[in-house]
Amino acid sequence: MSRDKHKLLRVDPERLWRRHIDMSKLGSTDRGGVNRAALTIPDVELHLELASWARERNFEVEIDDYGNQFMRRAGSEPQCHALVSGSHSDTQPTGGRFDGISGVLAAMEALEVIDDAQICTRHPIEVVVWNNEEGTRFSPSDMGSAVYVGQTPIERMLAATDDEGVSMAIAVNTLRASIDWAIERQLGTPISAYLELHIEQGPILENENIDIGIVTGIQGTRKFEVRITGEEAHAGTTPESNRQDAFMDAVKVVNALQEIFFDPEDKVRFTIGRFEVSPGSLAVVPGHVLFTIDFRHPENTVLQILGDQIAEVCKKTATRCTTQVVETRSAPSTLFGNVVQEVIEECAKQRTYSFKYLPSGAGHDARYMNSFCPTGMVFVPCRKGISHNEKEYASPDSLAKGAQVVVDSLLMLDGLI
Ligand code: HGY
Ligand code: MN
Ligand code: MN
C-alpha cells in the first residue's frame, strides 16, 4: 500500500499559486521582485506565517540555534528519522518571487495534502526553511544547512554581522521571540532523506519543454574578497607618477583575472558582483577598492588550479598598491546518489511528466544535505532561465507539477527507507 498510496493524492494548484503571490508581498519591490534578506522583518513575518499554518494542523514547529525552522507532521514509527523537504526563504536584493520559496511552499503543500488525506506515514515528514542561503545580509551564504550538518562551526556564523552591525545571533533571537512557542531543534538531528524543489535558474527545461529536472549534482564554488589599498590624494595636484591609485590598479587586476579565467568551452563562471571604490569622491584619487569574486566550475581540479592563482595575480598586477585576497567560501562539486533520484524519476513517470537529468549551476542547501543523508533535487522550469532578477517567473502549472512530484516522492520514500 505504502508504495502506491500517493497515487490518489492531488496537490491544490490554486492554493500553491496563491501562497506564492502572498509570500512575494513580504519584501516586495516596486519592480515586481522581492528583497527579503535573512531574518529581516519580512522574512520573520514569512516564518511566522508558515508556523501559524503548521500550528493550525498541530504540526510541531522547531527552531534550531542557527534559526533554521522545521514544521513536523508526526509519523507512526517514532524511531524513524524524519523525511525532510524544503529550501530557503531569503532572497537577493533584486531577487525574484520563486527562488527558494518555491521549495518551501511545495514542501508545505505536500504536508497539507498528506494531512488532508489523513495518510499515516511511518516517518515523520518535515518542512524546513533554511536560514541565510543567499548570504546577502550575513556572509557567507548557505550557512543554515552548512551549520546544521556540522560543516561550519556555529559560533563564527552567529557572530557574523550585517551592515548595521547586527549579529546573526541577535537576528535568530528576534525570530525565536516572534515564534516563542516553537520548540528547540538540535543541530544535526538525523534525517532519513532530504528532497528540495527549486526553479532551475537556467534555460534548459523551458527550452526543451521538460516538466521535471532531476538534479545530478551541484557544481563547486570558491568565493573571494579582494582589497586593493593605495593612498588617497588630490586629483588636481598629484602627478600620475606619484599616485597610488587603487582604482587604476584594480582595473589592471580585473583585466589580468579575466585572462586567467577565460574559458573557450564557457564552463567557467567568473563573476565580480560587487565593486566598491572609496572614498568615492570626484576630486580624490581612490585609496581603496573592494571587489568580490564568485567563481564556479563543475570540476574540482579546475576550481583548485584557477582559484589558487588569484592572490598571486593580484599581487603581481597591482604595481602601485598593496592587495589582500580573502577566500570567504569554498565548496567542492557534489554528485547526488541514486536513492532519491530514482524515486523522483519513478514518480515523474507515474504522472506521465517529461523529465531530464541535469546538473545545477546554482548553489543550494541540498549541497550540504548531500553529505548528511540521501538527498535529491527536483527542478521546475523558469521563464528564459532568468533568476537573481526581479523578472524571475515560474508558471502555476510548472510549480504544481513539481509539488506533485514532491508529494509522491516523499510518500514513496516513506515506504522505501
Ligand atoms: O548563488 C547561488 O547559486 C544561490 O542562488 N544562492
Ligand atoms: Mn539564489
Ligand atoms: Mn535558491
Side-chain angles (χ1 to χ4, degrees), residues 26-48:
L26 298 174
S28 60
T29 65
D30 48 19
R31 295 197 311 173
V34 182
N35 177 9
R36 189 173 56 226
L39 299 187
T40 51
I41 292 172
D43 193 36
V44 170
E45 282 175 15
L46 184 146
H47 281 73
L48 185 52

Side-chain angles (χ1 to χ4, degrees), residues 132-193:
N132 195 30
E133 193 272 350
E134 298 289 4
T136 55
R137 181 184 176 197
F138 301 98
S139 177
S141 60
D142 290 328
M143 278 308 106
S145 46
V147 163
Y148 186 83
V149 303
Q151 289 234 354
T152 302
I154 186 170
E155 295 72 22
R156 193 157 53 86
M157 293 302 104
L158 287 176
T161 55
D162 66 9
D163 293 345
E164 274 73 55
V166 176
S167 70
M168 176 58 91
I170 297 287
V172 172
N173 288 341
T174 308
L175 173 69
R176 285 165 170 250
S178 68
I179 312 177
D180 57 7
W181 39 273
I183 54 183
E184 182 63 31
R185 171 70 169 234
Q186 287 308 314
L187 291 171
T189 302
I191 286 172
S192 290

Side-chain angles (χ1 to χ4, degrees), residues 145-336:
S145 46
V147 163
Y148 186 83
V149 303
Q151 289 234 354
T152 302
I154 186 170
E155 295 72 22
R156 193 157 53 86
M157 293 302 104
L158 287 176
T161 55
D162 66 9
D163 293 345
E164 274 73 55
V166 176
S167 70
M168 176 58 91
I170 297 287
V172 172
N173 288 341
T174 308
L175 173 69
R176 285 165 170 250
S178 68
I179 312 177
D180 57 7
W181 39 273
I183 54 183
E184 182 63 31
R185 171 70 169 234
Q186 287 308 314
L187 291 171
T189 302
I191 286 172
S192 290
Y194 176 71
L195 175 59
E196 179 167 356
L197 176 139
H198 206 287
I199 54 170
E200 179 198 340
Q201 297 177 299
I204 297 168
L205 295 179
E206 183 187 55
N207 288 349
E208 298 180 23
N209 198 21
I210 304 269
D211 298 320
I212 298 292
I214 305 175
V215 185
T216 53
I218 301 176
Q219 70 176 341
T221 186
R222 294 181 73 177
K223 305 191 194 292
F224 301 83
E225 283 180 358
V226 179
R227 285 177 171 76
I228 297 182
T229 306
E231 188 168 68
E232 293 171 16
H234 194 296
T237 58
T238 314
E240 200 286 327
S241 54
N242 287 12
R243 293 187 175 202
Q244 289 173 270
D245 186 330
F247 175 73
M248 293 304 176
D249 262 5
V251 169
K252 287 191 284 185
V253 165
V254 169
N255 287 329
L257 289 171
Q258 271 191 307
E259 275 180 38
I260 297 275
F261 283 89
F262 172 71
D263 172 16
E265 290 177 50
D266 196 8
K267 283 164 70 178
V268 164
R269 295 290 175 265
F270 175 79
T271 309
I272 294 180
R274 194 172 143 206
F275 192 97
E276 293 168 6
V277 184
S278 54
S281 171
L282 173 72
V284 179
V285 173
H288 193 271
V289 165
L290 161 72
F291 67 85
T292 58
I293 293 173
D294 178 324
F295 168 38
R296 310 194 196 195
H297 199 278
E299 293 152 44
N300 291 326
T301 47
V302 175
L303 277 172
Q304 196 65 45
I305 293 166
L306 291 185
D308 286 357
Q309 292 181 42
I310 291 174
E312 187 52 33
V313 167
C314 291
K315 192 165 163 228
K316 218 174 52 198
T317 318
T319 51
R320 302 281 184 88
C321 302
T322 57
T323 61
Q324 182 205 21
V325 177
V326 176
E327 184 158 12
T328 54
R329 214 173 127 246
S330 170
S333 274
T334 187
L335 290 175
F336 294 133

Side-chain angles (χ1 to χ4, degrees), residues 359-377:
S360 175
H364 302 286
D365 291 296
R367 179 200 301 280
Y368 290 103
M369 295 312 290
N370 196 35
S371 64
F372 190 71
C373 64
T375 294
M377 288 193 77

Side-chain angles (χ1 to χ4, degrees), residues 16-36:
L16 184 63
W17 180 250
R18 189 180 64 250
R19 284 177 165 178
H20 275 87
I21 300 308
D22 292 347
M23 288 303 193
S24 66
K25 291 171 189 156
L26 298 174
S28 60
T29 65
D30 48 19
R31 295 197 311 173
V34 182
N35 177 9
R36 189 173 56 226

Side-chain angles (χ1 to χ4, degrees), residues 62-68 70 148 172 176 184-185 187:
E62 301 176 354
I63 296 176
D64 68 26
D65 284 345
Y66 190 75
N68 299 310
F70 298 80
Y148 186 83
V172 172
R176 285 165 170 250
E184 182 63 31
R185 171 70 169 234
L187 291 171

